Amino acid sequence: MVLSIRNRERIWDHDNSRHSHNVILSSGVWTWKNVLWVAIGWIVAISLGLLCCIYVATLHENDLWFSNIKEVEREISFRTECGLYYSYYKQMLRAPSFQQGLSELISDNTTESKRTINLLQRMNIHQEVFLAVLYRVLPIQAYLEPVYFYIYTVFSLQAVYVIALFIIGWLLSGSWLAGVLSGVWYILNRVDTTRVEFTISLRENWSLPFFALQVAAITCYLRPHLNTIQQVVVWLMFLATFLFCLTWQFNQFILLIQALVVFSLDAVDLISTEQVTCLYLVQVSGLLSVWLLQFCNSMILGSLVLSFIVAALFVKHFQKGLKSGGLAARLGKLLLHTFLVLTLTFTINYLAKVTLQLRSDEHIFKFIKSKFGLGPTRDFDASLYLCEEAFGLLPLNTFERLAETLLAYPYLVTVAVLLALLMMVALERPTCIRSDVAYNLLHTVFFGLLALSTMRMKYLWTGHMCVFASYGVCGKELWSLFLNMIRCNTKMKVKLIRYMVPLVILGFLYYKFWPKLMAEVSELREFYDPDTVELMTWISSKTPKKAVFAGSMQLLAGIKLCTGRVLTNHPHYEDQALRERTRQVYQIYARRSPEEVHAILREAGADYVVMEDSICYERRHRRGCRLRDLLDLANGHIMDGPGENPPDLVPASHPRFCESIKTDDPVCTSLFTRVFQNKTFHVYKLKKSKKRPKAVEDKTQ
């Protein structure tokens, strides 16, 4: 007989922990002792958050000597796409008025030459607009520079992140010692939990704190006996989801995994139909609110998560009796239910993309297919990701670092034990598990699998690892189970262990890592990139303000920030037309004739092209993953150097352009004039040919 959600007893010894959770949720009977204990917990949470904020700010200052370097050096330190995002904050501050600055972003013709785009629709830069307005309104200009207002805001979000992790640990375990462990582990494992100190403007550094707040709100919402503040918690879930979606373009893929977690919990009857519907609708509401703010961005309507939620709710409404019958019958119904939901999901998504003519996110699906051997391996866009270490498998040394701080051991034990219990629940055994615990269990498992498959996604997982490990150490459930196994379980022993063990761990971490932490924040370095500084200074002083520059995506983002010049392409890759233009501009590193390259660059509107020796003669990647190799493969040409080549590749009829242009070949000098060079960069001005050469656009030649 199937147990309904209302009749299940939610976890061992739940009544004993009920009072402590009610204190956190402000719905229990208050005493001065409880008030003092909760107040201390909040003080510790805020203190840990501020400690993390100061820690990353200090590392950033010490690594660059940020307070003492020139403005152009500060801007160069915003590498790759970070510089692009920060440039819009700078642009808004320099606009004569807020209205004009907003108008320039909505009708921008400097980010992509010969095109006018709506940046607020294309990119998630509302936070830059908000900060620029806030800086202009607040009376702080006299004593706080704009760049410090920006970076301190991002570092402050790290405090929010740590506080959110603290709250989740507190809610799950009933002890704010779990929150302390979560925060300490997050800080000590900084290499694997955040990269904010050197990638300040990345969208994930804005969004992940809000994602942690959303998980905290979901954990609170799934708590039993949530009555008086339920509506408040739902609104907090929506607000956190909305801010998370607003600040990161990859929100739809993260919410899809979260929707799969909710779907799995519903499948094993661990959350009610009302809770399932509420969680789905919160996601939909957050996405649609961002859709409106992004001027009806079609990428959101065509997202897989919206299609999945619509399909899940539709099938759930019409497929009755899913959780009735014996185990075999339930399993059969569940498989059928899953098949129907997935089939309807892909059908809806396909129709939506055809209707909207949506191709903005196809490079992500190409990457996923290629990564798992399901798609073409020579696709240029997919290969750009596959050849980067960040998009490879999670390195094994990650676990060595996590084990060094004692994080890995309690985490793995907690996950293993609770997964076993969850399987027992699915098989209708007498053991049960609390809904909020089950959600966080599947959350950490699903995002853990994502991190194992793609290293860059580990930042979505490792923060939650800290929470779940602290729950295992400080929660009474696992300790009760362990003491029951050795037959010496008493309330006093459980209480003693769950307070003593975290204190011992904290003492060990302090003894081992505090000296290292102090040495790290005392280590002083200095920004040094004279070649890039020289390039930016030359561009600012020697080229027209409306000049159009072509080159690598990463460098062009810095050129826009430091000089304000017009770009042919940039690192925000979520647009099919931009991806095609980038592939064309990158022919400067391929085996193409000077006439072909000149025609391609002219077609993109370029006046200058910047060549980088570090790309032309790249050695960082292995053969087959260098940019010039990817271009050769895409063009059907044999790659450089010793090694095998696919049999269908042919020798190119022209030398590599980035090499031939330096030889003062008459054809090159008739089309390009070298106007700047140093040890790293070579800048050429395009000449206007009397008769424009015909470009060879065949992608396979």
Side-chain angles (χ1 to χ4, degrees), residues 10-42:
R10 276 296 168 215
I11 208 161
W12 324 276
D13 202 19
H14 164 68
D15 291 333
N16 293 331
S17 64
R18 175 177 173 183
H19 181 66
S20 62
H21 288 296
N22 281 341
V23 170
I24 302 171
L25 301 177
S26 304
S27 57
V29 178
W30 286 86
T31 65
W32 284 109
K33 181 181 178 181
N34 292 337
V35 171
L36 179 61
W37 189 243
V38 171
I40 293 173
W42 279 107

PDB file of all heavy atoms in Angstrom, residues 10-42:
ATOM      1  N   ARG A  10       8.553  12.214   8.893  1.00  0.00           N
ATOM      2  CA  ARG A  10       9.532  12.773   7.989  1.00  0.00           C
ATOM      3  C   ARG A  10      10.986  12.478   8.293  1.00  0.00           C
ATOM      4  O   ARG A  10      11.811  12.733   7.511  1.00  0.00           O
ATOM      5  CB  ARG A  10       9.338  14.284   7.898  1.00  0.00           C
ATOM      6  CG  ARG A  10       8.283  14.626   6.896  1.00  0.00           C
ATOM      7  CD  ARG A  10       8.728  14.196   5.524  1.00  0.00           C
ATOM      8  NE  ARG A  10       7.613  14.277   4.640  1.00  0.00           N
ATOM      9  CZ  ARG A  10       7.383  13.477   3.668  1.00  0.00           C
ATOM     10  NH1 ARG A  10       8.182  12.498   3.437  1.00  0.00           N
ATOM     11  NH2 ARG A  10       6.344  13.637   2.911  1.00  0.00           N
ATOM     12  N   ILE A  11      11.435  12.144   9.354  1.00  0.00           N
ATOM     13  CA  ILE A  11      12.822  11.679   9.519  1.00  0.00           C
ATOM     14  C   ILE A  11      12.978  11.234  10.956  1.00  0.00           C
ATOM     15  O   ILE A  11      12.182  11.600  11.816  1.00  0.00           O
ATOM     16  CB  ILE A  11      13.855  12.755   9.148  1.00  0.00           C
ATOM     17  CG1 ILE A  11      15.128  12.097   8.669  1.00  0.00           C
ATOM     18  CG2 ILE A  11      14.146  13.704  10.274  1.00  0.00           C
ATOM     19  CD1 ILE A  11      16.032  12.988   7.869  1.00  0.00           C
ATOM     20  N   TRP A  12      13.977  10.446  11.207  1.00  0.00           N
ATOM     21  CA  TRP A  12      14.149   9.945  12.559  1.00  0.00           C
ATOM     22  C   TRP A  12      14.176  11.092  13.559  1.00  0.00           C
ATOM     23  O   TRP A  12      14.796  12.115  13.363  1.00  0.00           O
ATOM     24  CB  TRP A  12      15.457   9.173  12.703  1.00  0.00           C
ATOM     25  CG  TRP A  12      15.842   8.390  11.511  1.00  0.00           C
ATOM     26  CD1 TRP A  12      15.422   7.142  11.189  1.00  0.00           C
ATOM     27  CD2 TRP A  12      16.728   8.803  10.477  1.00  0.00           C
ATOM     28  NE1 TRP A  12      15.988   6.742  10.023  1.00  0.00           N
ATOM     29  CE2 TRP A  12      16.795   7.744   9.568  1.00  0.00           C
ATOM     30  CE3 TRP A  12      17.468   9.959  10.229  1.00  0.00           C
ATOM     31  CZ2 TRP A  12      17.574   7.797   8.429  1.00  0.00           C
ATOM     32  CZ3 TRP A  12      18.235  10.010   9.103  1.00  0.00           C
ATOM     33  CH2 TRP A  12      18.293   8.950   8.215  1.00  0.00           C
ATOM     34  N   ASP A  13      13.512  10.900  14.671  1.00  0.00           N
ATOM     35  CA  ASP A  13      13.586  11.845  15.788  1.00  0.00           C
ATOM     36  C   ASP A  13      13.225  13.265  15.352  1.00  0.00           C
ATOM     37  O   ASP A  13      13.797  14.233  15.806  1.00  0.00           O
ATOM     38  CB  ASP A  13      15.006  11.841  16.376  1.00  0.00           C
ATOM     39  CG  ASP A  13      15.003  12.367  17.804  1.00  0.00           C
ATOM     40  OD1 ASP A  13      13.926  12.383  18.433  1.00  0.00           O
ATOM     41  OD2 ASP A  13      16.082  12.757  18.271  1.00  0.00           O
ATOM     42  N   HIS A  14      12.229  13.368  14.435  1.00  0.00           N
ATOM     43  CA  HIS A  14      11.884  14.694  13.910  1.00  0.00           C
ATOM     44  C   HIS A  14      11.352  15.620  14.996  1.00  0.00           C
ATOM     45  O   HIS A  14      11.648  16.809  15.023  1.00  0.00           O
ATOM     46  CB  HIS A  14      10.849  14.567  12.791  1.00  0.00           C
ATOM     47  CG  HIS A  14      10.165  15.857  12.476  1.00  0.00           C
ATOM     48  ND1 HIS A  14      10.847  16.913  11.894  1.00  0.00           N
ATOM     49  CD2 HIS A  14       8.905  16.276  12.693  1.00  0.00           C
ATOM     50  CE1 HIS A  14      10.015  17.919  11.740  1.00  0.00           C
ATOM     51  NE2 HIS A  14       8.836  17.553  12.220  1.00  0.00           N
ATOM     52  N   ASP A  15      10.517  15.086  15.922  1.00  0.00           N
ATOM     53  CA  ASP A  15       9.919  15.948  16.946  1.00  0.00           C
ATOM     54  C   ASP A  15      10.963  16.622  17.806  1.00  0.00           C
ATOM     55  O   ASP A  15      10.766  17.743  18.272  1.00  0.00           O
ATOM     56  CB  ASP A  15       8.973  15.115  17.832  1.00  0.00           C
ATOM     57  CG  ASP A  15       7.746  14.670  17.060  1.00  0.00           C
ATOM     58  OD1 ASP A  15       7.385  15.384  16.086  1.00  0.00           O
ATOM     59  OD2 ASP A  15       7.170  13.617  17.399  1.00  0.00           O
ATOM     60  N   ASN A  16      12.113  15.966  18.015  1.00  0.00           N
ATOM     61  CA  ASN A  16      13.152  16.568  18.838  1.00  0.00           C
ATOM     62  C   ASN A  16      13.813  17.754  18.159  1.00  0.00           C
ATOM     63  O   ASN A  16      14.346  18.633  18.817  1.00  0.00           O
ATOM     64  CB  ASN A  16      14.216  15.517  19.176  1.00  0.00           C
ATOM     65  CG  ASN A  16      13.672  14.441  20.083  1.00  0.00           C
ATOM     66  OD1 ASN A  16      12.761  14.694  20.867  1.00  0.00           O
ATOM     67  ND2 ASN A  16      14.203  13.236  19.965  1.00  0.00           N
ATOM     68  N   SER A  17      13.830  17.750  16.807  1.00  0.00           N
ATOM     69  CA  SER A  17      14.473  18.852  16.088  1.00  0.00           C
ATOM     70  C   SER A  17      13.494  19.934  15.687  1.00  0.00           C
ATOM     71  O   SER A  17      13.886  20.978  15.206  1.00  0.00           O
ATOM     72  CB  SER A  17      15.162  18.313  14.829  1.00  0.00           C
ATOM     73  OG  SER A  17      14.207  17.783  13.947  1.00  0.00           O
ATOM     74  N   ARG A  18      12.211  19.688  15.896  1.00  0.00           N
ATOM     75  CA  ARG A  18      11.195  20.616  15.417  1.00  0.00           C
ATOM     76  C   ARG A  18      11.339  21.979  16.061  1.00  0.00           C
ATOM     77  O   ARG A  18      11.211  23.010  15.399  1.00  0.00           O
ATOM     78  CB  ARG A  18       9.807  20.027  15.711  1.00  0.00           C
ATOM     79  CG  ARG A  18       8.660  20.947  15.375  1.00  0.00           C
ATOM     80  CD  ARG A  18       7.333  20.249  15.641  1.00  0.00           C
ATOM     81  NE  ARG A  18       6.214  21.149  15.483  1.00  0.00           N
ATOM     82  CZ  ARG A  18       4.970  20.801  15.705  1.00  0.00           C
ATOM     83  NH1 ARG A  18       4.684  19.559  16.074  1.00  0.00           N
ATOM     84  NH2 ARG A  18       3.987  21.674  15.552  1.00  0.00           N
ATOM     85  N   HIS A  19      11.634  22.012  17.356  1.00  0.00           N
ATOM     86  CA  HIS A  19      11.688  23.289  18.063  1.00  0.00           C
ATOM     87  C   HIS A  19      12.812  24.169  17.539  1.00  0.00           C
ATOM     88  O   HIS A  19      12.621  25.364  17.322  1.00  0.00           O
ATOM     89  CB  HIS A  19      11.873  23.046  19.559  1.00  0.00           C
ATOM     90  CG  HIS A  19      11.905  24.316  20.358  1.00  0.00           C
ATOM     91  ND1 HIS A  19      10.812  25.138  20.477  1.00  0.00           N
ATOM     92  CD2 HIS A  19      12.915  24.906  21.051  1.00  0.00           C
ATOM     93  CE1 HIS A  19      11.133  26.185  21.242  1.00  0.00           C
ATOM     94  NE2 HIS A  19      12.409  26.067  21.583  1.00  0.00           N
ATOM     95  N   SER A  20      13.993  23.560  17.292  1.00  0.00           N
ATOM     96  CA  SER A  20      15.119  24.368  16.821  1.00  0.00           C
ATOM     97  C   SER A  20      14.840  24.956  15.454  1.00  0.00           C
ATOM     98  O   SER A  20      15.219  26.088  15.169  1.00  0.00           O
ATOM     99  CB  SER A  20      16.393  23.520  16.774  1.00  0.00           C
ATOM    100  OG  SER A  20      16.238  22.455  15.868  1.00  0.00           O
ATOM    101  N   HIS A  21      14.141  24.231  14.593  1.00  0.00           N
ATOM    102  CA  HIS A  21      13.822  24.759  13.270  1.00  0.00           C
ATOM    103  C   HIS A  21      12.781  25.862  13.376  1.00  0.00           C
ATOM    104  O   HIS A  21      12.827  26.846  12.652  1.00  0.00           O
ATOM    105  CB  HIS A  21      13.304  23.644  12.360  1.00  0.00           C
ATOM    106  CG  HIS A  21      14.378  22.698  11.943  1.00  0.00           C
ATOM    107  ND1 HIS A  21      15.437  23.081  11.173  1.00  0.00           N
ATOM    108  CD2 HIS A  21      14.554  21.375  12.215  1.00  0.00           C
ATOM    109  CE1 HIS A  21      16.223  22.034  10.955  1.00  0.00           C
ATOM    110  NE2 HIS A  21      15.714  21.001  11.590  1.00  0.00           N
ATOM    111  N   ASN A  22      11.838  25.695  14.269  1.00  0.00           N
ATOM    112  CA  ASN A  22      10.830  26.746  14.448  1.00  0.00           C
ATOM    113  C   ASN A  22      11.458  28.046  14.905  1.00  0.00           C
ATOM    114  O   ASN A  22      10.997  29.136  14.557  1.00  0.00           O
ATOM    115  CB  ASN A  22       9.776  26.295  15.461  1.00  0.00           C
ATOM    116  CG  ASN A  22       8.757  25.345  14.842  1.00  0.00           C
ATOM    117  OD1 ASN A  22       8.630  25.299  13.624  1.00  0.00           O
ATOM    118  ND2 ASN A  22       8.049  24.605  15.672  1.00  0.00           N
ATOM    119  N   VAL A  23      12.507  27.965  15.708  1.00  0.00           N
ATOM    120  CA  VAL A  23      13.215  29.168  16.135  1.00  0.00           C
ATOM    121  C   VAL A  23      13.758  29.918  14.926  1.00  0.00           C
ATOM    122  O   VAL A  23      13.627  31.124  14.795  1.00  0.00           O
ATOM    123  CB  VAL A  23      14.350  28.794  17.115  1.00  0.00           C
ATOM    124  CG1 VAL A  23      15.242  29.989  17.365  1.00  0.00           C
ATOM    125  CG2 VAL A  23      13.773  28.300  18.435  1.00  0.00           C
ATOM    126  N   ILE A  24      14.361  29.168  14.000  1.00  0.00           N
ATOM    127  CA  ILE A  24      14.924  29.796  12.806  1.00  0.00           C
ATOM    128  C   ILE A  24      13.821  30.423  11.975  1.00  0.00           C
ATOM    129  O   ILE A  24      13.977  31.505  11.421  1.00  0.00           O
ATOM    130  CB  ILE A  24      15.679  28.742  11.972  1.00  0.00           C
ATOM    131  CG1 ILE A  24      16.778  28.102  12.805  1.00  0.00           C
ATOM    132  CG2 ILE A  24      16.278  29.375  10.728  1.00  0.00           C
ATOM    133  CD1 ILE A  24      17.417  26.919  12.135  1.00  0.00           C
ATOM    134  N   LEU A  25      12.687  29.739  11.877  1.00  0.00           N
ATOM    135  CA  LEU A  25      11.610  30.211  11.004  1.00  0.00           C
ATOM    136  C   LEU A  25      10.665  31.182  11.695  1.00  0.00           C
ATOM    137  O   LEU A  25       9.675  31.603  11.128  1.00  0.00           O
ATOM    138  CB  LEU A  25      10.804  29.010  10.489  1.00  0.00           C
ATOM    139  CG  LEU A  25      11.611  27.978   9.692  1.00  0.00           C
ATOM    140  CD1 LEU A  25      10.717  26.821   9.300  1.00  0.00           C
ATOM    141  CD2 LEU A  25      12.243  28.608   8.481  1.00  0.00           C
ATOM    142  N   SER A  26      10.975  31.542  12.930  1.00  0.00           N
ATOM    143  CA  SER A  26      10.199  32.529  13.671  1.00  0.00           C
ATOM    144  C   SER A  26       8.740  32.116  13.851  1.00  0.00           C
ATOM    145  O   SER A  26       7.839  32.935  13.783  1.00  0.00           O
ATOM    146  CB  SER A  26      10.264  33.892  12.951  1.00  0.00           C
ATOM    147  OG  SER A  26      11.580  34.303  12.768  1.00  0.00           O
ATOM    148  N   SER A  27       8.487  30.816  14.034  1.00  0.00           N
ATOM    149  CA  SER A  27       7.105  30.375  14.199  1.00  0.00           C
ATOM    150  C   SER A  27       6.908  29.539  15.464  1.00  0.00           C
ATOM    151  O   SER A  27       5.872  28.961  15.666  1.00  0.00           O
ATOM    152  CB  SER A  27       6.679  29.549  12.976  1.00  0.00           C
ATOM    153  OG  SER A  27       7.549  28.458  12.812  1.00  0.00           O
ATOM    154  N   GLY A  28       7.912  29.487  16.323  1.00  0.00           N
ATOM    155  CA  GLY A  28       7.802  28.721  17.540  1.00  0.00           C
ATOM    156  C   GLY A  28       7.609  29.615  18.750  1.00  0.00           C
ATOM    157  O   GLY A  28       7.410  30.815  18.654  1.00  0.00           O
ATOM    158  N   VAL A  29       7.674  29.003  19.942  1.00  0.00           N
ATOM    159  CA  VAL A  29       7.560  29.745  21.191  1.00  0.00           C
ATOM    160  C   VAL A  29       8.932  30.307  21.537  1.00  0.00           C
ATOM    161  O   VAL A  29       9.904  29.579  21.664  1.00  0.00           O
ATOM    162  CB  VAL A  29       7.060  28.814  22.321  1.00  0.00           C
ATOM    163  CG1 VAL A  29       6.989  29.581  23.625  1.00  0.00           C
ATOM    164  CG2 VAL A  29       5.710  28.232  21.960  1.00  0.00           C
ATOM    165  N   TRP A  30       8.994  31.625  21.701  1.00  0.00           N
ATOM    166  CA  TRP A  30      10.271  32.289  21.919  1.00  0.00           C
ATOM    167  C   TRP A  30      10.592  32.384  23.409  1.00  0.00           C
ATOM    168  O   TRP A  30       9.728  32.648  24.235  1.00  0.00           O
ATOM    169  CB  TRP A  30      10.246  33.695  21.327  1.00  0.00           C
ATOM    170  CG  TRP A  30      10.314  33.686  19.832  1.00  0.00           C
ATOM    171  CD1 TRP A  30       9.279  33.565  18.960  1.00  0.00           C
ATOM    172  CD2 TRP A  30      11.499  33.766  19.046  1.00  0.00           C
ATOM    173  NE1 TRP A  30       9.733  33.572  17.675  1.00  0.00           N
ATOM    174  CE2 TRP A  30      11.097  33.699  17.697  1.00  0.00           C
ATOM    175  CE3 TRP A  30      12.858  33.886  19.348  1.00  0.00           C
ATOM    176  CZ2 TRP A  30      12.004  33.756  16.647  1.00  0.00           C
ATOM    177  CZ3 TRP A  30      13.749  33.949  18.310  1.00  0.00           C
ATOM    178  CH2 TRP A  30      13.333  33.882  16.969  1.00  0.00           C
ATOM    179  N   THR A  31      11.855  32.147  23.732  1.00  0.00           N
ATOM    180  CA  THR A  31      12.361  32.391  25.078  1.00  0.00           C
ATOM    181  C   THR A  31      13.610  33.251  24.928  1.00  0.00           C
ATOM    182  O   THR A  31      14.182  33.361  23.845  1.00  0.00           O
ATOM    183  CB  THR A  31      12.729  31.068  25.782  1.00  0.00           C
ATOM    184  OG1 THR A  31      13.819  30.457  25.086  1.00  0.00           O
ATOM    185  CG2 THR A  31      11.538  30.114  25.807  1.00  0.00           C
ATOM    186  N   TRP A  32      14.037  33.862  26.026  1.00  0.00           N
ATOM    187  CA  TRP A  32      15.244  34.695  25.956  1.00  0.00           C
ATOM    188  C   TRP A  32      16.456  33.878  25.534  1.00  0.00           C
ATOM    189  O   TRP A  32      17.343  34.360  24.825  1.00  0.00           O
ATOM    190  CB  TRP A  32      15.492  35.355  27.311  1.00  0.00           C
ATOM    191  CG  TRP A  32      14.576  36.504  27.568  1.00  0.00           C
ATOM    192  CD1 TRP A  32      13.542  36.565  28.467  1.00  0.00           C
ATOM    193  CD2 TRP A  32      14.606  37.762  26.886  1.00  0.00           C
ATOM    194  NE1 TRP A  32      12.917  37.776  28.392  1.00  0.00           N
ATOM    195  CE2 TRP A  32      13.548  38.546  27.431  1.00  0.00           C
ATOM    196  CE3 TRP A  32      15.396  38.308  25.879  1.00  0.00           C
ATOM    197  CZ2 TRP A  32      13.277  39.832  27.001  1.00  0.00           C
ATOM    198  CZ3 TRP A  32      15.133  39.595  25.446  1.00  0.00           C
ATOM    199  CH2 TRP A  32      14.081  40.343  25.997  1.00  0.00           C
ATOM    200  N   LYS A  33      16.472  32.637  25.957  1.00  0.00           N
ATOM    201  CA  LYS A  33      17.575  31.760  25.565  1.00  0.00           C
ATOM    202  C   LYS A  33      17.595  31.545  24.055  1.00  0.00           C
ATOM    203  O   LYS A  33      18.650  31.618  23.409  1.00  0.00           O
ATOM    204  CB  LYS A  33      17.443  30.422  26.298  1.00  0.00           C
ATOM    205  CG  LYS A  33      18.565  29.438  25.981  1.00  0.00           C
ATOM    206  CD  LYS A  33      18.349  28.132  26.728  1.00  0.00           C
ATOM    207  CE  LYS A  33      19.458  27.124  26.372  1.00  0.00           C
ATOM    208  NZ  LYS A  33      19.265  25.832  27.079  1.00  0.00           N
ATOM    209  N   ASN A  34      16.400  31.280  23.482  1.00  0.00           N
ATOM    210  CA  ASN A  34      16.303  31.090  22.033  1.00  0.00           C
ATOM    211  C   ASN A  34      16.677  32.350  21.273  1.00  0.00           C
ATOM    212  O   ASN A  34      17.378  32.301  20.252  1.00  0.00           O
ATOM    213  CB  ASN A  34      14.887  30.661  21.648  1.00  0.00           C
ATOM    214  CG  ASN A  34      14.552  29.268  22.146  1.00  0.00           C
ATOM    215  OD1 ASN A  34      15.447  28.463  22.398  1.00  0.00           O
ATOM    216  ND2 ASN A  34      13.269  28.992  22.311  1.00  0.00           N
ATOM    217  N   VAL A  35      16.181  33.493  21.768  1.00  0.00           N
ATOM    218  CA  VAL A  35      16.480  34.764  21.108  1.00  0.00           C
ATOM    219  C   VAL A  35      17.980  35.012  21.090  1.00  0.00           C
ATOM    220  O   VAL A  35      18.555  35.396  20.060  1.00  0.00           O
ATOM    221  CB  VAL A  35      15.749  35.929  21.814  1.00  0.00           C
ATOM    222  CG1 VAL A  35      16.236  37.274  21.276  1.00  0.00           C
ATOM    223  CG2 VAL A  35      14.246  35.805  21.626  1.00  0.00           C
ATOM    224  N   LEU A  36      18.629  34.788  22.219  1.00  0.00           N
ATOM    225  CA  LEU A  36      20.076  35.005  22.315  1.00  0.00           C
ATOM    226  C   LEU A  36      20.827  34.056  21.388  1.00  0.00           C
ATOM    227  O   LEU A  36      21.759  34.463  20.684  1.00  0.00           O
ATOM    228  CB  LEU A  36      20.524  34.800  23.765  1.00  0.00           C
ATOM    229  CG  LEU A  36      22.028  34.981  24.029  1.00  0.00           C
ATOM    230  CD1 LEU A  36      22.460  36.398  23.690  1.00  0.00           C
ATOM    231  CD2 LEU A  36      22.359  34.641  25.487  1.00  0.00           C
ATOM    232  N   TRP A  37      20.412  32.778  21.366  1.00  0.00           N
ATOM    233  CA  TRP A  37      21.089  31.789  20.541  1.00  0.00           C
ATOM    234  C   TRP A  37      20.959  32.117  19.054  1.00  0.00           C
ATOM    235  O   TRP A  37      21.923  32.039  18.297  1.00  0.00           O
ATOM    236  CB  TRP A  37      20.519  30.410  20.845  1.00  0.00           C
ATOM    237  CG  TRP A  37      21.261  29.264  20.218  1.00  0.00           C
ATOM    238  CD1 TRP A  37      20.798  28.386  19.296  1.00  0.00           C
ATOM    239  CD2 TRP A  37      22.614  28.873  20.483  1.00  0.00           C
ATOM    240  NE1 TRP A  37      21.759  27.464  18.965  1.00  0.00           N
ATOM    241  CE2 TRP A  37      22.893  27.735  19.685  1.00  0.00           C
ATOM    242  CE3 TRP A  37      23.616  29.360  21.329  1.00  0.00           C
ATOM    243  CZ2 TRP A  37      24.125  27.093  19.698  1.00  0.00           C
ATOM    244  CZ3 TRP A  37      24.847  28.715  21.333  1.00  0.00           C
ATOM    245  CH2 TRP A  37      25.088  27.601  20.532  1.00  0.00           C
ATOM    246  N   VAL A  38      19.750  32.517  18.637  1.00  0.00           N
ATOM    247  CA  VAL A  38      19.533  32.878  17.232  1.00  0.00           C
ATOM    248  C   VAL A  38      20.294  34.154  16.887  1.00  0.00           C
ATOM    249  O   VAL A  38      20.887  34.272  15.808  1.00  0.00           O
ATOM    250  CB  VAL A  38      18.028  33.045  16.945  1.00  0.00           C
ATOM    251  CG1 VAL A  38      17.805  33.636  15.555  1.00  0.00           C
ATOM    252  CG2 VAL A  38      17.313  31.707  17.054  1.00  0.00           C
ATOM    253  N   ALA A  39      20.297  35.126  17.805  1.00  0.00           N
ATOM    254  CA  ALA A  39      21.024  36.376  17.562  1.00  0.00           C
ATOM    255  C   ALA A  39      22.517  36.113  17.376  1.00  0.00           C
ATOM    256  O   ALA A  39      23.156  36.678  16.477  1.00  0.00           O
ATOM    257  CB  ALA A  39      20.798  37.345  18.718  1.00  0.00           C
ATOM    258  N   ILE A  40      23.067  35.237  18.200  1.00  0.00           N
ATOM    259  CA  ILE A  40      24.487  34.880  18.055  1.00  0.00           C
ATOM    260  C   ILE A  40      24.725  34.225  16.699  1.00  0.00           C
ATOM    261  O   ILE A  40      25.717  34.504  16.007  1.00  0.00           O
ATOM    262  CB  ILE A  40      24.924  33.952  19.203  1.00  0.00           C
ATOM    263  CG1 ILE A  40      24.889  34.701  20.539  1.00  0.00           C
ATOM    264  CG2 ILE A  40      26.326  33.399  18.942  1.00  0.00           C
ATOM    265  CD1 ILE A  40      25.150  33.813  21.740  1.00  0.00           C
ATOM    266  N   GLY A  41      23.812  33.341  16.301  1.00  0.00           N
ATOM    267  CA  GLY A  41      23.931  32.685  15.004  1.00  0.00           C
ATOM    268  C   GLY A  41      23.960  33.678  13.856  1.00  0.00           C
ATOM    269  O   GLY A  41      24.794  33.572  12.947  1.00  0.00           O
ATOM    270  N   TRP A  42      23.058  34.661  13.884  1.00  0.00           N
ATOM    271  CA  TRP A  42      23.035  35.669  12.821  1.00  0.00           C
ATOM    272  C   TRP A  42      24.293  36.543  12.837  1.00  0.00           C
ATOM    273  O   TRP A  42      24.813  36.909  11.779  1.00  0.00           O
ATOM    274  CB  TRP A  42      21.786  36.539  12.950  1.00  0.00           C
ATOM    275  CG  TRP A  42      20.567  35.894  12.361  1.00  0.00           C
ATOM    276  CD1 TRP A  42      19.518  35.350  13.029  1.00  0.00           C
ATOM    277  CD2 TRP A  42      20.294  35.712  10.966  1.00  0.00           C
ATOM    278  NE1 TRP A  42      18.590  34.835  12.155  1.00  0.00           N
ATOM    279  CE2 TRP A  42      19.045  35.051  10.879  1.00  0.00           C
ATOM    280  CE3 TRP A  42      20.972  36.031   9.792  1.00  0.00           C
ATOM    281  CZ2 TRP A  42      18.474  34.711   9.659  1.00  0.00           C
ATOM    282  CZ3 TRP A  42      20.402  35.689   8.576  1.00  0.00           C
ATOM    283  CH2 TRP A  42      19.172  35.043   8.513  1.00  0.00           C
TER     284      TRP A  42
END
